[in-house]
Amino acid sequence: MKRMLALGVSLLFAAGTAMAFHCPKDMKQIDDALAKKPKLTEAQMKEVTKLRADGEALHKAGKHQESVDELGKAMKILNIKSA
Ligand SMILES: [Cu+2]
């Protein structure tokens, strides 16, 4: 019984951790794309920068799903295929 509980807890933890690791990965992809000086309009650049900052803030607030959503929008503008 104790062992089952431990397994359940570790599975739950693993699921949360997988999500939490997604945001930094997306942020890195965005940073990498920005480092290559992509051809974006000024408005797009502003949007990407904002989404990137929002994503990081949401990630730090523990709202990983929302963070992934915001970062996903930035990645779409940058034409990054999410892995
Ligand atoms: Cu996160």
Side-chain angles (χ1 to χ4, degrees):
M1 188 59 206
K2 215 172 181 181
R3 184 176 270 191
M4 281 297 283
L5 197 75
L7 184 71
V9 167
S10 65
L11 278 176
L12 221 104
F13 182 74
T17 309
M19 204 62 211
F21 274 124
H22 204 298
C23 321
K25 212 183 79 189
D26 288 355
M27 281 187 252
K28 192 185 178 304
Q29 280 187 296
I30 291 165
D31 290 344
D32 286 351
L34 286 174
K36 286 177 198 154
K37 306 233 180 291
K39 284 189 187 118
L40 295 177
T41 65
E42 209 175 304
Q44 282 177 315
M45 198 64 188
K46 240 182 179 171
E47 185 75 6
V48 168
T49 309
K50 187 189 168 291
L51 289 166
R52 164 69 175 80
D54 286 353
E56 184 162 7
L58 286 165
H59 170 67
K60 281 181 179 156
K63 294 175 184 168
H64 301 297
Q65 185 55 61
E66 283 162 80
S67 171
V68 168
D69 288 347
E70 293 302 295
L71 294 170
K73 286 182 209 163
M75 285 164 74
K76 209 168 177 187
I77 296 169
L78 287 163
N79 219 353
I80 304 168
K81 290 182 192 81
S82 58

